[in-house]
Amino acid sequence: MERDNPVIKVLRGAALLVVGLFFLFPLFWVALMSFQTNEQILRIPPSIVFEPTLSNYWALISGRLVSNAGILEIKFMGNLWNSVLLSSTSVALALVLGVPAAYAFARFRFRMSEDIAFTLLSFRFAPPLLVLLPLSLYFQDIGLTDTYVGLIWVYQLIALPLILWIVRGYFEDISPDIEHAYRIDGHSWLKTFTKIALPLARPGIAAAALLSFIFCWNNFIFALILASADKQPVTVGALAFVTASGIQYGQIAAAVLLSITPTLLLALYAQRYLVEGLSLGAVKG
């Protein structure tokens, strides 16, 4: 087995270190900001030497933001819970609807199938401002304004097209002969779908679910217009840190770290499924 040249190994390690520092430095700087007061953050020149404080995190947890304008009541933990509830429920519903639909588009040819698929995909790329006004009026008529059900319904415009098109590609990569061989033993289409197709497409489903969760989590405009403060996620709730006495940078940095934690944990959990998907593609290539 041929060994790598030590010089090449050193250069490769140095390149990886530079790339890692480039991408992780913003997160590192935000982490430092979350343990500083506004005065420490705004000092010139900036310094990484400071006396750390947990006051920013305590303000988020307690819901009491102390500023020069007085004490403000904030609902960050409620906003965080709303993000978890809205994103996870929206993705779960999109998986229930989108995975069988993706299988149908991949395995069956029916009239206008491609037109229907592209119409669903266009929902993802349509500007949100294009549908906000009619959605707002429609939701007022049927009583869905400022409800979790209404927001989860709207979030399907984000999650469902992603899951449908990503999972469809994975189903198309699976050889139909495997399913045909299973059906020869007398099994139904439903059993073939649940026992053969779903396990083989699991990496693709995990990747699609993760991407959909991230897009739903980062959505801002739908929740801003269609929900009140009690139902809004963290992306909208962060506006509370822009106060009359100035921007609370320390609380914003702490809120950023807390708000990315669920997404980061989910990405770490789904990583092994993503690796399985990449390995499957490598074998096929």
Side-chain angles (χ1 to χ4, degrees):
M1 184 176 180
E2 186 178 353
R3 293 185 177 180
D4 290 339
N5 188 316
V7 177
I8 295 178
K9 290 178 66 176
V10 171
L11 292 177
R12 185 185 301 162
L16 289 174
L17 181 63
V18 170
V19 172
L21 288 175
F22 178 80
F23 285 104
L24 291 179
F25 181 76
L27 191 60
F28 170 72
W29 196 255
V30 169
L32 288 182
M33 288 173 60
S34 69
F35 293 103
Q36 300 179 62
T37 62
N38 249 20
E39 291 74 18
Q40 292 172 324
I41 294 172
L42 296 176
R43 65 187 169 187
I44 300 176
S47 173
I48 61 172
V49 179
F50 58 90
E51 184 178 348
T53 175
L54 294 176
S55 60
N56 296 324
Y57 290 96
W58 177 244
L60 299 180
I61 296 172
S62 65
R64 293 168 59 84
L65 177 62
V66 180
S67 67
N68 295 331
I71 298 178
L72 301 175
E73 298 291 334
I74 56 176
K75 301 178 179 178
F76 176 79
M77 298 309 291
N79 297 137
L80 187 61
W81 165 247
N82 289 338
S83 288
V84 174
L85 176 66
L86 292 172
S87 301
S88 57
T89 308
S90 299
V91 172
L93 180 60
L95 286 173
V96 171
L97 298 175
V99 173
Y103 183 75
F105 280 115
R107 285 289 179 265
F108 305 103
R109 291 292 177 266
F110 49 89
R111 188 178 180 185
M112 298 181 66
S113 61
E114 290 302 316
D115 295 333
I116 296 173
F118 274 106
T119 300
L120 292 173
L121 182 64
S122 67
F123 291 158
R124 175 66 191 89
F125 296 104
L129 293 177
L130 187 68
V131 297
L132 262 179
L133 179 59
L135 265 180
S136 179
L137 297 175
Y138 181 61
F139 274 25
Q140 288 178 12
D141 289 340
I142 62 177
L144 285 180
T145 301
D146 194 23
T147 62
Y148 289 120
V149 175
L151 287 176
I152 291 169
W153 188 1
V154 173
Y155 276 23
Q156 297 309 305
L157 296 174
I158 304 169
L160 189 56
L162 275 176
I163 289 175
L164 178 63
W165 275 88
I166 293 176
V167 179
R168 177 188 177 180
Y170 270 82
F171 281 136
E172 288 176 341
D173 286 341
I174 300 172
S175 174
D177 295 338
I178 302 175
E179 299 174 15
H180 292 161
Y182 189 72
R183 288 211 66 202
I184 289 175
D185 290 339
H187 300 293
S188 64
W189 273 115
L190 179 61
K191 202 165 184 179
T192 305
F193 173 66
T194 56
K195 298 292 185 183
I196 301 297
L198 276 183
L200 290 176
R202 186 175 56 183
I205 296 173
L210 178 60
L211 285 176
S212 302
F213 186 87
I214 292 173
F215 277 101
C216 289
W217 187 277
N218 292 335
N219 182 263
F220 175 80
I221 191 67
F222 286 135
L224 177 66
I225 302 300
L226 299 175
S228 66
D230 292 335
K231 306 291 190 306
Q232 289 172 341
V234 286
T235 50
V236 183
L239 294 176
F241 302 116
V242 182
T243 67
S245 62
I247 302 175
Q248 306 301 315
Y249 294 102
Q251 282 84 17
I252 291 177
V256 167
L257 289 185
L258 289 180
S259 63
I260 66 174
T261 300
T263 308
L264 185 61
L265 294 177
L266 183 62
L268 291 175
Y269 173 75
Q271 185 181 20
R272 60 194 180 102
Y273 297 106
L274 298 178
V275 172
E276 286 180 17
L278 294 175
S279 302
L280 182 64
V283 172
K284 285 179 178 177

